[in-house]
Each structure stands twice: as C-alpha cells, then as structure tokens.
C-alpha cells in the first residue's frame, strides 16, 4: 500500500495545479493538464472539468475521464439533480460525497444511476465561480476508496477553485464551436435523437419506436432521457408538443438510416 502523503506534499502538488491552471488559461496547455496535476493532490478514479453554457443551459466537458454515460449526465442532467442547488451555493466550499445526507442521496439520480454503479465511495463536486460572481462550471472528482475526514486535500481543493474557475472560463479553453450541421439541429439534438423525438409525436411506445428504428427499447429510453434533459422538458408529451411546433415528423420507413 502506498504511504500516506504528507500535508507538505499535498500543498506542493497544489502549487503545480495552480501553475497548470494558469498555463491553460493562457492557452499554452490544455485543461487535461490541470486534471493530471490534480491527481497528485488527491488520487482519483474519475475526474472532469466542465464549463457551463448559459445559452444552451448545459455543461460541456473540457477534460475528463468518466465513462460516456456519466459524462452525459454531468453535461445534460446534473443541473436538474436535487443535490445541485446545495452544491451550487457560492458559500459552500465543495460538496464531498460522504457529507451528503443519506436522504438527499436517495433522491439523487446522479448518485443512484451514475456514481453507485461505478463503485464510487467518495469524492467532491465543486462549483466554480468567476471573480464577478458568475457560475462558470464545475469540478467533479470520484474515488472508489473512502478518504480520511481530516484529509488536507479537502481544504486544498477549495483553495484551488479560483484558479480552476479562471481556467474553465478562459476563452482559450472554450469548447469548439458547433459545426453548421450541428447548429441546424433543433435543440442541439443528435440525428438519432431527432428521429426518436419525431416518433414521439405519434404516441408510439418505446418498443414500437425501437422496432421502427432497429434499436433496443432501452436505447430508446436513454435517447428520450437525453432529449428531455437537452430541451429542459418534463415529459415525453411535452417533447412531442415541441417537435410539433418545430414541424418534425417521423420519416417514412424507407428513409431510415442505420
């Protein structure tokens, strides 16, 4: 087993994180270098830095190591999670998993559907705010190993938030602009999501949609979850109504893509 790192070692590693954040802010390096440096402050199994897009009302991952499903949750659903209003409070210095009340975790899809299946036992979600008070994004760090309550890394991560926020908010770290084809897609939906959305206008069940699109009912359900999250809609009926206002209709079976 590796020896426990001293407070001095962790503080020294924090200096490297600040240097990596400054480098990313200037565009000299990518945000991935910041997460790499952060692993020396606290060992993790998964981590991500995501930028908040106020126009699209979603997060965009700038660098991360979570599986695709977890990344999609962070980007499109996390800000609807019951835990999010708690951790977004500017006065809070990060929300560590072990500090979240059990009753709140029980209502959190992020924990029940994403973190628990990954075997996550500890970690922190840290909202990032610019100097002018704007919410600009967040840091998510997860580990399968519980950490000591007195772990100095807990305080150090909080001290690093100003540098992390500057990196996430920097124009140099902005995600690539959407292509013209993506910009033409209503709501930023993928081609397959648009197909599923069109099918919702007919009132078909997930199984019926699956048969028409040659995918599984479970995949249809996942697409519908993403559609509702991206469009900030409460249910499939509202999604169908939105599709109708956009003039989206199901394709003829002969026009389906694979």
């Amino acid at each position: 087993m590796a020896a426990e790192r001293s407070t001095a070692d962790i503080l020294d590693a924090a200096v490297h994180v600040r240097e990596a954040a400054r480098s990313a802010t200037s565009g000299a390096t990518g945000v991935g270098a910041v997460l790499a440096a952060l692993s020396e402050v606290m060992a993790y199994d998964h981590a991500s830095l995501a930028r908040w897009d106020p126009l699209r009302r979603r997060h965009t991952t700038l660098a991360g190591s979570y599986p695709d499903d977890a990344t999609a949750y962070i980007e499109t659903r996390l800000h609807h999670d019951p835990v999010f209003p708690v951790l977004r409070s500017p006065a809070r210095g990060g929300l560590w998993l072990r500090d979240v009340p059990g009753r709140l975790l029980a209502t959190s899809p992020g924990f029940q559907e994403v973190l628990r299946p990954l075997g996550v036992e500890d970690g922190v979600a840290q909202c990032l705010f610019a100097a002018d008070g704007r919410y600009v994004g967040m840091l998510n760090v997860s580990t399968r190993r519980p950490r000591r309550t007195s772990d100095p890394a807990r305080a150090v991560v909080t001290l690093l938030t100003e540098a992390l926020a500057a990196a996430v908010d920097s124009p140099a770290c902005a995600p690539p602009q959407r292509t013209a084809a993506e910009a033409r897609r209503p709501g930023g939906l993928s081609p397959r999501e648009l197909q599923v959305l069109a099918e919702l206008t007919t009132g078909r069940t997930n199984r019926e949609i699956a048969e028409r699109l040659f995918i599984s009912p479970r995949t249809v359900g996942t697409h519908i979850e993403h559609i509702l999250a991206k469009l900030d809609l409460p249910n499939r009926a509202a999604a169908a109504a939105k599709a109708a206002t956009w003039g989206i209709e199901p394709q003829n079976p002969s026009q389906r893509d694979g």
Side-chain angles (χ1 to χ4, degrees):
M1 178 181 293
E4 199 73 46
R5 303 195 70 206
S6 69
T7 299
D9 288 336
I10 292 174
L11 290 174
D12 186 55
V15 172
H16 295 156
V17 175
R18 289 178 63 88
E19 292 172 347
R22 281 197 295 266
S23 181
T25 301
S26 69
T29 58
V31 179
V34 180
L35 287 183
L38 187 65
S39 68
E40 296 300 317
V41 172
M42 59 174 290
Y44 57 72
D45 293 290
H46 303 288
S48 76
L49 275 168
R51 181 182 185 131
W52 175 247
D53 185 334
L55 296 179
R56 300 174 65 195
R57 301 292 301 172
R58 57 166 289 164
H59 292 92
T60 299
T61 300
L62 302 179
S65 60
Y66 284 94
D68 289 345
D69 286 351
T71 297
Y73 189 91
I74 291 171
E75 293 188 335
T76 63
R77 297 177 60 196
L78 178 57
H79 52 291
H80 297 296
D81 194 289
V83 175
F84 190 71
V86 179
L87 65 91
R88 183 167 171 171
S89 169
R92 175 174 288 281
L95 185 61
W96 290 79
L97 183 59
R98 294 179 68 189
D99 296 337
V100 182
R103 286 188 301 175
L104 187 56
L105 283 182
T107 66
S108 168
F111 177 71
Q112 300 296 336
E113 301 173 14
V114 179
L115 296 183
R116 174 172 279 176
L118 291 176
V120 170
E121 293 191 24
D122 208 349
V124 61
Q126 175 76 63
C127 285
L128 306 174
F129 296 88
D132 59 9
R134 287 178 300 110
Y135 171 64
V136 295
M138 69 185 311
L139 166 73
N140 283 282
V141 178
S142 299
T143 174
R144 297 187 182 93
R145 299 169 298 282
R147 304 184 65 80
R148 293 181 293 118
T149 303
S150 60
D151 188 347
R154 292 168 65 100
V156 168
V157 169
T158 300
L159 293 175
L160 289 170
T161 55
E162 183 178 342
L164 296 177
V168 166
D169 193 38
S170 170
C173 298
Q177 293 295 315
R178 289 184 297 167
T179 65
E182 290 172 330
R184 288 193 297 270
R185 296 174 194 155
L189 302 181
S190 71
R192 179 63 89 183
E193 288 167 348
L194 285 174
Q195 287 181 321
V196 173
L197 177 61
E199 295 292 335
L200 292 180
T201 64
T202 67
R204 292 188 175 101
T205 65
N206 286 10
R207 182 169 297 280
E208 290 170 335
I209 294 172
E211 291 174 352
R212 282 176 54 83
L213 300 181
F214 300 109
I215 56 180
S216 72
R218 181 174 180 178
T219 298
V220 171
T222 298
H223 283 313
I224 292 174
E225 287 184 4
H226 292 170
I227 289 167
L228 297 180
K230 288 182 178 181
L231 302 184
D232 196 18
L233 296 172
N235 52 48
R236 60 197 293 148
K242 176 68 73 174
T245 63
W246 284 339
I248 296 175
E249 299 178 350
Q251 293 180 338
N252 184 286
S254 64
Q255 296 175 304
R256 291 183 304 224
D257 59 19

